[in-house]
Amino acid sequence: MAIGASAPVRVETYQKAPSAFARNAPGYLFLLPWFIGFFGLTLGPALVSLYLSFTDYNLLQAPHLVGLDNYARIATGDDKFISSMKVTLFYVVCSVPLKLAFALMVALLLNRGIRGLPIYRAIFYLPSLLGSSVAIAVLWRQIFDGDGVVNTLLWYVLGINGPSWISNPNYSLYTLIILAIWQFGSPMIIFLAGLRQIPTDLYEAASLDGASKARIFFKITLPLLTPVIFFNAVVQTIDAFKAFTPAYVISSGTGGPIDSTLFYTLYLYQEAFGYFRMGYAAALAWVLVIIIAVFTAFSFLSARYWVHYDD
């Protein structure tokens, strides 16, 4: 080997590893619209309303802090808060179980393998899409009005002169409960999906053992369907607490007659946009949030005693 020969020099280049943010930049870019919506339209307004709940604000003047005065008035000196809460709780307690029971009954019928199932499923789901709209509320008002469809049928079929269901405080809230039950399509679709997940070999084994249909329903179907029932119960209860449009349209925004349809959300709306007491309305909104949060927490705590999962 020649001493003076020069060996090739190996040049190694080192590149700095990209940071975690640079590696995930495309993902953050796709998430950017969601971040803008969450912070700009959800979290931001929620924090502002929490601040306004401690103020006296009427949209025309700058808000000034009043401490816990709004919450103290809700707790001690607001009769309409009590009446609206009673109406809302009665509506929730009556409408949610009846809606779930009706939805489960229809789902059981559709799960029997009838022909044209997609058509029936679409027809039954349609009320859930239209039920909370203003048009359906107006139609509901025409049906249950003094000279509406219900009273016309009662007169021609049974010869009964029915009352004005909407104008009578004894019946007005029940018309809204019937409207809520009519919107059974969404929980029905979820029940139907849950029924399709139950293994058929369980039904076959029960039939071979001579179990009746009622025993099969209460010992197999209902226990295995409890996770779906739990989900539907939580979602439908939260929706019932937030119900607004039917009561607003049917009572023309007054909650009448005699506050019989004064939902909590409708009372909140009246305080905010009828009397421009935005600070007080914000406090009412946060009380509703706390009530729904307590109900949801109680539901999850009680689920361990009656909801049966596969494990």
Side-chain angles (χ1 to χ4, degrees):
M1 174 183 294
I3 298 175
S6 59
V9 178
R10 182 179 180 183
V11 179
E12 296 184 356
T13 57
Y14 296 94
Q15 295 181 349
K16 186 178 180 180
S19 64
F21 179 81
R23 289 196 304 270
N24 299 324
Y28 290 130
L29 186 62
F30 282 109
L31 287 174
L32 186 59
W34 183 86
F35 280 122
I36 294 175
F38 176 71
F39 289 104
L41 301 177
T42 303
L43 184 60
L47 294 177
V48 172
S49 77
L50 180 61
Y51 163 72
L52 291 177
S53 70
F54 298 102
T55 67
D56 182 11
Y57 180 47
N58 59 6
L59 283 180
L60 301 177
Q61 299 172 336
H64 65 274
L65 290 172
V66 294
L68 296 175
D69 287 358
N70 290 330
Y71 293 97
R73 179 189 164 194
I74 293 173
T76 59
D78 190 350
D79 294 334
K80 277 209 166 185
F81 166 77
I82 301 297
S83 61
S84 65
M85 186 55 67
K86 286 181 179 177
V87 171
T88 303
L89 289 177
F90 185 80
Y91 173 79
V92 172
V93 170
C94 292
S95 65
V96 174
L98 292 175
K99 180 195 285 189
L100 294 183
F102 195 69
L104 179 58
M105 182 185 68
V106 176
L108 289 170
L109 292 175
L110 294 180
N111 194 43
R112 302 177 71 175
I114 61 176
R115 298 180 61 182
L117 176 61
I119 298 175
Y120 288 111
R121 196 164 47 198
I123 293 174
F124 288 135
Y125 187 69
L126 192 60
S128 290
L129 298 177
L130 302 176
S132 59
S133 65
V134 175
I136 293 300
V138 172
L139 175 64
W140 214 253
R141 181 170 183 164
Q142 298 299 323
I143 291 175
F144 287 97
D145 208 354
D147 54 352
V149 177
V150 173
N151 281 346
T152 302
L153 290 175
L154 287 176
W155 174 255
Y156 281 107
V157 176
L158 302 175
I160 298 175
N161 190 10
S164 178
W165 305 94
I166 293 175
S167 303
N168 191 323
N170 295 325
Y171 307 114
S172 55
L173 184 56
Y174 293 104
T175 63
L176 297 179
I177 293 174
I178 295 173
L179 175 58
I181 298 171
W182 183 66
Q183 303 167 22
F184 66 93
S186 177
M188 182 269 294
I189 291 293
I190 299 174
F191 277 137
L192 191 57
L195 289 171
R196 295 298 177 90
Q197 300 301 317
I198 299 177
T200 56
D201 54 349
L202 296 177
Y203 293 117
E204 294 171 357
S207 299
L208 290 176
D209 290 340
S212 64
K213 291 185 178 180
R215 189 175 179 83
I216 291 175
F217 175 75
F218 286 106
K219 294 297 182 180
I220 297 177
T221 304
L222 206 56
L224 293 181
L225 209 58
T226 49
V228 180
I229 296 174
F230 172 69
F231 174 80
N232 271 334
V234 172
V235 172
Q236 295 302 321
T237 303
I238 294 174
D239 280 347
F241 272 112
K242 297 188 304 179
F244 170 77
T245 303
Y248 178 83
V249 173
I250 288 179
S251 69
S252 301
T254 62
I258 318 178
D259 292 344
S260 59
T261 60
L262 184 64
F263 284 1
Y264 189 87
T265 52
L266 182 56
Y267 175 50
L268 191 157
Y269 173 83
Q270 290 176 348
E271 287 291 324
F273 300 99
Y275 305 108
F276 298 105
R277 292 193 279 257
M278 291 292 174
Y280 189 67
L284 287 172
W286 277 99
V287 169
L288 180 61
V289 170
I290 293 171
I291 292 173
I292 293 176
V294 169
F295 161 77
T296 306
F298 175 77
S299 300
F300 276 90
L301 289 175
S302 66
R304 67 180 69 176
Y305 301 107
W306 64 277
V307 179
H308 306 285
Y309 293 99
D310 291 339
D311 54 351

